[in-house]
Amino acid sequence: MDPDSGFEEFYRNSRQRVVTVLYALGGDRSEAQDAAQEAYARAWQRWSQVGTYDDPEAWVRTVGHRLLVNRWRKVRNSVVAYRRHGPPPPVRPPSENTVALVSALRQLSADQRQAIVLYHLADLSVAEIAAQIGVPSGTVKARLARGRKALAALLDVNFPEEVRNA
């Protein structure tokens, strides 16, 4: 007998009861469904063991309940931290320059954008970029040069000579 078919039958016969119990324990149907889904996924991964238990449904209910409790703890800890530290400081909107740069970057090809971002924002060298994306260093240099030229035109900026020829 295929071990998966035993799990499928177990799942079909028990899923509604498990979700109902978790819903009654937690009071939130969506959270109960999420916890049940995760518990069944864990049961399926260990089905060769869980399937031999006298009551595999009890195992799934227990795992589901523990998942709910862990979520409650996480929420409670978030509330405690919020009360202790207060709300995060407000985030200022992006500057005009940032908006213009992001808009210009979106207009570059994906390859040029990737090279520009990795080089200028992630501070990776040409060799590191080449290794990371799996292309020759010359290709990275070409993408950087073409990307910078396109950005200069899009942003109406003149780059210094050393940057234009890099």
Side-chain angles (χ1 to χ4, degrees), residues 12-138:
R12 275 193 307 274
N13 293 333
S14 64
R15 69 178 174 216
Q16 191 59 45
R17 283 189 306 274
V18 169
V19 170
T20 300
V21 168
L22 294 176
Y23 179 33
L25 290 171
D28 184 317
R29 185 167 182 80
S30 178
E31 287 288 325
Q33 290 170 333
D34 289 348
Q37 179 180 355
E38 178 63 24
Y40 276 111
R42 292 180 185 188
W44 181 76
Q45 291 171 337
R46 299 166 179 81
W47 187 245
S48 61
Q49 169 108 23
V50 174
T52 64
Y53 294 165
D54 290 336
D55 189 359
E57 186 176 334
W59 186 91
V60 171
R61 280 193 311 269
T62 300
V63 170
H65 184 250
R66 288 179 181 158
L67 289 166
L68 285 176
V69 169
N70 287 341
R71 289 178 183 165
W72 295 331
R73 286 183 186 140
K74 190 178 286 187
V75 168
R76 183 191 67 211
N77 290 341
S78 297
V79 169
V80 168
Y82 180 82
R83 287 180 180 157
R84 183 179 313 135
H85 301 290
V91 177
R92 294 191 326 242
S95 70
E96 288 182 31
N97 289 340
T98 301
V99 171
L101 177 60
V102 169
S103 176
L105 283 169
R106 286 181 180 154
Q107 295 179 56
L108 298 179
S109 73
D111 293 336
Q112 290 174 358
R113 182 173 52 246
Q114 183 181 38
I116 294 283
V117 168
L118 292 175
Y119 188 83
H120 291 285
L121 298 179
D123 289 327
L124 298 181
S125 69
V126 170
E128 290 170 324
I129 296 169
Q132 181 174 330
I133 63 176
V135 298
S137 293

